[in-house]
Amino acid sequence: MNRTTESYIEIINLSKSFGSHKVLDNINLTVNRGEVVAIIGPSGSGKSTLLRCLNFLTRSESGEIKFQNRSWSLNSEGKRYKGKKYEKSLSELRSEVGMVFQNFNVFPHKTAVQNVELGLIKVRKMTKNSAREIAIKKLEQVGLGDKINQYPDKLSGGQKQRVAIARALALEPRVMLFDEVTSSLDPELVGGILEEIRRLANTGITMLVVTHEMGFAFQVAHRIVFMDSGKIVEVGTPDEIRNSQEPRTRAFLSAIL
Amino acid sequence: MGNSKSFFEFEAVVSSWDILLKGFAVAMFAATLATALAIILGLVVALMRLSTVAIYRWIAFAFTQFFRGVPLYVLLVWVYFGLAIAVNINLSAILAGVVTLALLNAGYLSETFRSGILAIDSGQIEAGLALGLSKQVVFKEIVLPQAFRIVIPPMGNQYVDAIKDSAILSIIGVPELMRESQQLANLYYQPFEFYTCAGLLYLIAVVLVSRGTNKLEKRFYTHSAQN
Ligand SMILES: Nc1ncnc2c1ncn2[C@@H]1O[C@H](COP(=O)(O)OP(=O)(O)OP(=O)(O)O)[C@@H](O)[C@H]1O
Ligand SMILES: [Mg+2]
């Protein structure tokens, strides 16, 4: 695999509260280019919130996020970015950070291929023809070559999730975020989607994967982050986490495995 | 038939048919134009209502409350006579009628549109933003088409209301179906016949509009199940 030791994403002292409820409590994590990081932990521990902070769908109230040493939270004087211009510039970041959601969020009024080409046309400013060409190629890659003109209501959950993956990948992002992307799938469809992610992991793209599929996490991830109550309890290689002496990690793993 | 008057005399109605149809056409013209204007205005007001700018929200809120709160009758009098007296704007009767119906319906439609927009799953918006689309593109490409599908039935209802409400334009002399029926009824002393005939014409229009909306709805619903 093409993992490097070049730090790519840096999360520094990140905190987020909803009202008085501290959902992320001083998170620090560095992810290297090409690394696959699995985030595990009990429900409500803040995994999704952490992922959403990375493309600023959720705004943290303190701390910093850097991509390739460029801070997306603080300006050169150390002040927090805000305002309309900043909002606009986030589009640039988001087009480099693909995200796939638990409940697919495919656009129901667009066909599979229209779902995939939208970003290419509107974000990458491609012509309709070249966007379509790429969109078809991406759909073929995820095994939907024969469904390009279907509307989502004619697709299975697994197929919708493939559309969502193709839609994110079409923009050739440098980072992919997966948030429990198999959790709303029928059991027989889970394997296929995990296979898709596994294949992607081998291409050297940087990935953060929130998952309840422990077997998958331990197989595919270079490192595993265990979260509980808004804190990172432990970070380690799959072996380190498997043999962890940390009581909370052990309790979680023994309950779930 | 002897000298006893039968229950329903057709002759006068049939011989005045062209006048009634012309009145009907005027009514449909006023209702259709007013609804079209109300859709545009209603959408603008709905967007203002959802804006982050407080002053826009307030103006939109006041607009909606006002035009939903004032009776059509009063509004019509204000627009037709009031504007002329107060600011010397003399609208023709038909224009005043269209403007009045448009304002009233925009008040209702703005609320319809607002709730249609708010009904779109936030996951849809987030998926768009996550692709790097701007808020404007997300709105135009993702929110609006899905919201439109939701508001087709209430929009159809609003159009139906406008058609029936157009009858009130008779009070300012717009030569629409109600006004013409009134005059013919007085001329022939046959109110029952003429008003029944007018009623049937309104009914036909309403049934046709409902069928049209159903068709439109079906077309948009074919591929619309949320995820
Ligand atoms: N928009 C929000 N408003 C208020 N509270 C929120 C919001 N989003 C998340 N939370 C709360 O933050 C906490 C962490 O949520 P989060 O979704 O990050 O957990 P999670 O680890 O992804 O859980 P799960 O495994 O169930 O998906 C939860 O207690 C949740 O109720
Ligand atoms: Mg979650």
Side-chain angles (χ1 to χ4, degrees):
Chain A
M1 295 183 208
N2 314 309
R3 182 155 51 132
T4 68
T5 50
E6 172 195 348
S7 95
Y8 197 61
I9 307 171
E10 280 175 84
I11 304 166
I12 306 156
N13 298 331
L14 195 76
S15 292
K16 170 71 189 173
S17 301
F18 289 108
S20 60
H21 180 191
K22 198 148 204 178
V23 174
L24 294 178
D25 189 358
N26 205 33
I27 299 285
N28 285 281
L29 181 68
T30 301
V31 178
N32 295 330
R33 184 201 284 272
E35 201 176 15
V36 178
V37 173
I39 303 173
I40 62 173
S43 183
S45 55
K47 307 180 296 292
S48 296
T49 308
L50 175 59
L51 222 53
R52 293 164 52 85
C53 280
L54 286 177
N55 67 0
F56 295 84
L57 286 179
T58 296
R59 219 55 71 77
S60 61
E61 68 252 355
S62 66
E64 195 176 0
I65 294 168
K66 289 185 183 174
F67 284 87
Q68 288 183 294
N69 285 321
R70 174 173 173 194
S71 177
W72 285 86
S73 312
L74 306 175
N75 65 19
S76 51
E77 281 132 44
K79 291 224 177 73
R80 284 188 90 68
Y81 283 121
K82 56 178 176 226
K84 279 236 161 74
K85 221 165 128 196
Y86 172 57
E87 297 284 332
K88 278 210 180 114
S89 73
L90 286 176
S91 298
E92 184 195 329
L93 171 77
R94 286 171 178 153
S95 73
E96 300 290 341
V97 180
M99 184 158 188
V100 184
F101 303 83
Q102 176 174 348
N103 50 357
F104 327 132
N105 292 332
V106 290
F107 306 132
H109 59 299
K110 291 183 184 289
T111 61
V113 72
Q114 287 168 344
N115 263 273
V116 179
E117 69 191 8
L118 182 64
L120 294 169
I121 296 168
K122 298 291 176 184
V123 179
R124 296 283 183 253
K125 309 288 180 208
M126 284 185 184
T127 63
K128 191 125 203 216
N129 283 339
S130 32
R132 173 130 314 191
E133 217 171 285
I134 293 176
I136 291 173
K137 217 175 283 163
K138 290 293 167 187
L139 284 168
E140 282 167 353
Q141 275 170 23
V142 296
L144 288 181
D146 55 338
K147 303 277 184 208
I148 55 170
N149 291 319
Q150 290 287 6
Y151 281 89
D153 63 345
K154 297 281 180 327
L155 299 175
S156 73
Q159 290 168 335
K160 278 184 238 184
Q161 198 57 297
R162 283 167 203 271
V163 171
I165 292 172
R167 180 175 69 183
L169 288 179
L171 298 180
E172 313 226 305
R174 294 154 197 260
V175 179
M176 279 294 284
L177 309 174
F178 291 93
D179 191 0
E180 292 188 33
V181 296
T182 58
S183 294
S184 17
L185 293 179
D186 294 336
E188 70 271 20
L189 299 174
V190 169
I193 295 296
L194 293 182
E195 197 44 53
E196 218 58 69
I197 301 173
R198 194 193 312 268
R199 193 152 51 217
L200 203 57
N202 290 327
T203 65
I205 190 170
T206 310
M207 304 204 306
L208 284 91
V209 184
V210 172
T211 183
H212 285 306
E213 303 283 340
M214 289 307 139
F216 175 76
F218 279 94
Q219 261 179 20
V220 171
H222 300 115
R223 278 193 302 158
I224 292 180
V225 173
F226 173 62
M227 288 184 69
D228 193 12
S229 311
K231 291 197 175 73
I232 291 182
V233 177
E234 206 177 357
V235 183
T237 63
D239 272 341
E240 285 166 353
I241 297 293
R242 205 178 280 122
N243 304 316
S244 167
Q245 296 307 308
E246 160 69 44
R248 274 186 288 174
T249 312
R250 289 176 68 103
F252 176 73
L253 288 179
S254 66
I256 210 163
L257 291 177
Chain B
M1 267 184 225
N3 43 16
S4 76
K5 191 172 182 289
S6 73
F7 178 64
F8 204 106
E9 294 273 0
F10 282 105
E11 256 166 68
V13 169
V14 170
S15 68
S16 320
W17 195 239
D18 55 332
I19 301 177
L20 286 170
L21 273 187
K22 230 196 242 156
F24 179 61
V26 172
M28 288 306 290
F29 168 79
T32 307
L33 183 57
T35 304
L37 292 173
I39 288 171
I40 298 167
L41 189 56
L43 187 59
V44 171
V45 173
L47 291 180
M48 286 172 69
R49 195 77 203 278
L50 294 167
S51 159
T52 50
V53 184
I55 181 86
Y56 289 168
R57 282 204 306 273
W58 274 105
I59 293 171
F61 180 72
F63 180 95
T64 303
Q65 292 300 313
F66 183 81
F67 289 110
R68 286 199 316 176
V70 177
L72 177 56
Y73 195 109
V74 176
L75 193 59
L76 185 61
V77 170
W78 276 346
V79 171
Y80 189 52
F81 301 108
L83 284 183
I85 297 165
V87 285
N88 204 22
I89 296 178
N90 288 291
L91 298 178
S92 67
I94 180 78
L95 190 57
V98 168
V99 167
T100 304
L101 284 175
L103 288 170
L104 183 98
N105 285 294
Y108 284 99
L109 282 178
S110 69
E111 282 296 282
T112 303
F113 292 158
R114 186 173 76 105
S115 55
I117 289 166
L118 290 177
I120 303 308
D121 179 18
S122 62
Q124 289 285 311
I125 298 165
E126 291 185 341
L129 291 176
L131 285 173
L133 301 175
S134 67
K135 277 186 183 165
Q136 290 77 7
V137 172
V138 167
F139 185 77
K140 189 171 151 264
E141 293 285 334
I142 296 164
V143 177
L144 211 52
Q146 295 186 62
F148 179 66
R149 171 198 102 201
I150 298 174
V151 303
I152 291 171
M155 232 159 58
N157 288 341
Q158 208 61 48
Y159 185 29
V160 163
D161 280 354
I163 292 171
K164 291 187 293 180
D165 282 349
S166 71
I168 212 169
L169 303 193
S170 59
I171 65 164
I172 56 169
V174 176
E176 45 66 63
L177 181 56
M178 201 61 205
R179 168 95 178 173
E180 300 297 13
S181 310
Q182 250 166 20
Q183 290 186 333
L184 290 165
N186 292 341
L187 187 66
Y188 291 99
Y189 302 107
Q190 287 181 352
F192 182 70
E193 282 82 348
F194 279 102
Y195 288 136
T196 302
C197 189
L200 283 175
L201 282 172
Y202 283 118
L203 194 62
I204 289 168
V206 167
V207 168
L208 287 181
V209 168
S210 301
R211 283 195 51 178
T213 344
N214 278 344
K215 276 222 176 93
L216 194 63
E217 198 187 347
K218 276 219 187 77
R219 233 188 77 191
F220 275 82
Y221 266 78
T222 319
H223 311 292
S224 60
Q226 278 272 2
N227 288 318

Short mmCIF file of all heavy atoms in Angstrom, two decimals, chain A residues 24 30 33 43 50 69 72 81 87 102 112 116 125 131 140 172 178 195 238 245 254 257:
data_model
loop_
_atom_site.label_atom_id
_atom_site.label_comp_id
_atom_site.label_asym_id
_atom_site.label_seq_id
_atom_site.Cartn_x
_atom_site.Cartn_y
_atom_site.Cartn_z
N LEU A 24 -17.31 16.59 21.14
CA LEU A 24 -15.89 16.33 20.87
C LEU A 24 -15.09 17.09 21.90
O LEU A 24 -15.28 18.30 22.08
CB LEU A 24 -15.50 16.78 19.45
CG LEU A 24 -16.14 16.03 18.28
CD1 LEU A 24 -15.68 16.63 16.95
CD2 LEU A 24 -15.82 14.55 18.34
N THR A 30 -3.41 12.95 13.78
CA THR A 30 -2.74 13.24 12.52
C THR A 30 -2.89 12.04 11.60
O THR A 30 -2.72 10.90 12.04
CB THR A 30 -1.24 13.53 12.76
OG1 THR A 30 -1.14 14.63 13.64
CG2 THR A 30 -0.54 13.87 11.46
N ARG A 33 -0.67 10.85 4.46
CA ARG A 33 -1.17 10.65 3.10
C ARG A 33 -1.19 9.16 2.77
O ARG A 33 -0.24 8.43 3.03
CB ARG A 33 -0.27 11.38 2.11
CG ARG A 33 -0.79 11.32 0.69
CD ARG A 33 0.30 11.56 -0.31
NE ARG A 33 0.66 12.97 -0.39
CZ ARG A 33 0.08 13.85 -1.21
NH1 ARG A 33 -0.89 13.46 -1.97
NH2 ARG A 33 0.47 15.09 -1.24
N SER A 43 -22.03 4.04 20.24
CA SER A 43 -22.97 5.01 19.67
C SER A 43 -22.97 6.29 20.51
O SER A 43 -22.95 6.24 21.73
CB SER A 43 -24.37 4.39 19.66
OG SER A 43 -25.26 5.28 19.06
N LEU A 50 -16.97 14.03 14.38
CA LEU A 50 -15.56 14.23 14.03
C LEU A 50 -15.39 14.23 12.51
O LEU A 50 -14.75 15.11 11.93
CB LEU A 50 -14.70 13.14 14.67
CG LEU A 50 -13.21 13.15 14.28
CD1 LEU A 50 -12.57 14.48 14.66
CD2 LEU A 50 -12.46 12.00 14.95
N ASN A 69 -0.80 21.06 5.77
CA ASN A 69 -0.24 22.22 6.47
C ASN A 69 -1.02 23.52 6.29
O ASN A 69 -0.63 24.55 6.81
CB ASN A 69 1.21 22.48 6.04
CG ASN A 69 2.13 21.47 6.68
OD1 ASN A 69 1.93 21.10 7.85
ND2 ASN A 69 3.09 20.98 5.92
N TRP A 72 -7.56 25.34 7.82
CA TRP A 72 -8.89 25.71 7.33
C TRP A 72 -9.73 26.30 8.46
O TRP A 72 -10.92 26.54 8.29
CB TRP A 72 -9.59 24.53 6.69
CG TRP A 72 -9.02 24.24 5.34
CD1 TRP A 72 -7.93 23.47 5.07
CD2 TRP A 72 -9.47 24.78 4.09
NE1 TRP A 72 -7.67 23.48 3.72
CE2 TRP A 72 -8.60 24.27 3.10
CE3 TRP A 72 -10.52 25.63 3.71
CZ2 TRP A 72 -8.76 24.58 1.74
CZ3 TRP A 72 -10.67 25.93 2.37
CH2 TRP A 72 -9.79 25.41 1.40
N TYR A 81 -11.52 31.72 11.11
CA TYR A 81 -12.17 32.17 9.88
C TYR A 81 -13.67 32.24 10.08
O TYR A 81 -14.27 31.40 10.73
CB TYR A 81 -11.93 31.17 8.76
CG TYR A 81 -10.57 31.20 8.13
CD1 TYR A 81 -9.78 30.07 8.14
CD2 TYR A 81 -10.11 32.33 7.48
CE1 TYR A 81 -8.53 30.06 7.52
CE2 TYR A 81 -8.87 32.33 6.87
CZ TYR A 81 -8.09 31.20 6.89
OH TYR A 81 -6.87 31.19 6.28
N GLU A 87 -17.02 30.84 3.76
CA GLU A 87 -18.01 29.83 3.38
C GLU A 87 -17.78 29.37 1.94
O GLU A 87 -17.84 28.19 1.63
CB GLU A 87 -19.43 30.40 3.48
CG GLU A 87 -19.86 30.81 4.87
CD GLU A 87 -20.20 29.62 5.73
OE1 GLU A 87 -20.62 28.59 5.17
OE2 GLU A 87 -20.04 29.73 6.97
N GLN A 102 -24.29 7.35 5.72
CA GLN A 102 -25.00 6.13 6.11
C GLN A 102 -26.28 5.92 5.28
O GLN A 102 -26.55 4.82 4.81
CB GLN A 102 -25.36 6.21 7.60
CG GLN A 102 -26.17 5.03 8.08
CD GLN A 102 -26.40 5.07 9.58
OE1 GLN A 102 -25.77 5.85 10.30
NE2 GLN A 102 -27.28 4.23 10.06
N ALA A 112 -28.81 7.87 -12.00
CA ALA A 112 -27.50 7.52 -11.46
C ALA A 112 -26.42 8.39 -12.09
O ALA A 112 -25.60 9.00 -11.40
CB ALA A 112 -27.22 6.04 -11.70
N VAL A 116 -23.87 11.48 -10.56
CA VAL A 116 -22.41 11.46 -10.58
C VAL A 116 -21.84 12.66 -11.34
O VAL A 116 -20.82 13.22 -10.96
CB VAL A 116 -21.90 10.14 -11.17
CG1 VAL A 116 -20.38 10.10 -11.22
CG2 VAL A 116 -22.43 8.96 -10.35
N LYS A 125 -16.39 22.22 -13.44
CA LYS A 125 -16.69 23.04 -14.63
C LYS A 125 -16.44 22.31 -15.94
O LYS A 125 -15.95 22.89 -16.91
CB LYS A 125 -15.86 24.35 -14.62
CG LYS A 125 -15.94 25.12 -13.32
CD LYS A 125 -17.28 25.78 -13.13
CE LYS A 125 -17.33 26.56 -11.84
NZ LYS A 125 -18.69 26.66 -11.30
N ALA A 131 -18.14 15.27 -18.72
CA ALA A 131 -18.63 14.86 -17.41
C ALA A 131 -19.34 13.52 -17.51
O ALA A 131 -19.14 12.62 -16.70
CB ALA A 131 -19.57 15.92 -16.85
N GLU A 140 -19.32 2.36 -13.92
CA GLU A 140 -18.86 1.03 -14.33
C GLU A 140 -17.90 0.45 -13.30
O GLU A 140 -17.96 -0.72 -12.96
CB GLU A 140 -18.17 1.10 -15.71
CG GLU A 140 -19.19 1.18 -16.85
CD GLU A 140 -18.57 1.56 -18.18
OE1 GLU A 140 -17.35 1.91 -18.21
OE2 GLU A 140 -19.30 1.54 -19.20
N GLU A 172 -12.37 12.89 -7.98
CA GLU A 172 -11.00 12.51 -7.62
C GLU A 172 -10.51 13.22 -6.37
O GLU A 172 -9.49 13.93 -6.40
CB GLU A 172 -10.05 12.81 -8.79
CG GLU A 172 -10.64 12.30 -10.10
CD GLU A 172 -9.64 11.54 -10.94
OE1 GLU A 172 -8.59 12.11 -11.24
OE2 GLU A 172 -9.93 10.38 -11.27
N PHE A 178 -15.94 7.99 5.11
CA PHE A 178 -17.06 7.05 5.07
C PHE A 178 -17.70 6.99 6.45
O PHE A 178 -17.04 6.66 7.42
CB PHE A 178 -16.57 5.64 4.69
CG PHE A 178 -16.10 5.53 3.28
CD1 PHE A 178 -14.76 5.72 2.96
CD2 PHE A 178 -16.99 5.22 2.26
CE1 PHE A 178 -14.33 5.60 1.64
CE2 PHE A 178 -16.56 5.10 0.95
CZ PHE A 178 -15.22 5.29 0.64
N GLU A 195 -16.26 -4.45 0.03
CA GLU A 195 -15.28 -4.83 -0.99
C GLU A 195 -14.88 -3.59 -1.80
O GLU A 195 -13.71 -3.38 -2.12
CB GLU A 195 -15.92 -5.89 -1.91
CG GLU A 195 -14.93 -6.65 -2.75
CD GLU A 195 -13.71 -7.07 -1.94
OE1 GLU A 195 -13.87 -7.71 -0.87
OE2 GLU A 195 -12.59 -6.73 -2.37
N PRO A 238 -3.99 -2.15 14.09
CA PRO A 238 -4.99 -3.18 14.44
C PRO A 238 -4.46 -4.14 15.51
O PRO A 238 -5.20 -4.46 16.44
CB PRO A 238 -5.23 -3.88 13.10
CG PRO A 238 -5.00 -2.82 12.09
CD PRO A 238 -3.88 -1.98 12.63
N GLN A 245 -4.50 -2.95 26.44
CA GLN A 245 -4.72 -3.17 27.88
C GLN A 245 -5.68 -2.14 28.44
O GLN A 245 -6.09 -2.22 29.59
CB GLN A 245 -3.38 -3.10 28.63
CG GLN A 245 -2.40 -4.20 28.24
CD GLN A 245 -3.05 -5.59 28.35
OE1 GLN A 245 -3.62 -5.95 29.37
NE2 GLN A 245 -2.98 -6.35 27.26
N SER A 254 -14.81 -6.49 23.46
CA SER A 254 -15.35 -7.77 23.89
C SER A 254 -16.87 -7.78 23.77
O SER A 254 -17.48 -8.82 23.54
CB SER A 254 -14.91 -8.10 25.33
OG SER A 254 -15.48 -7.17 26.22
N LEU A 257 -17.36 -8.03 19.61
CA LEU A 257 -16.79 -9.13 18.80
C LEU A 257 -17.39 -10.48 19.18
O LEU A 257 -17.93 -10.67 20.24
CB LEU A 257 -15.26 -9.16 18.95
CG LEU A 257 -14.53 -7.99 18.29
CD1 LEU A 257 -13.03 -8.07 18.56
CD2 LEU A 257 -14.77 -7.94 16.79
#
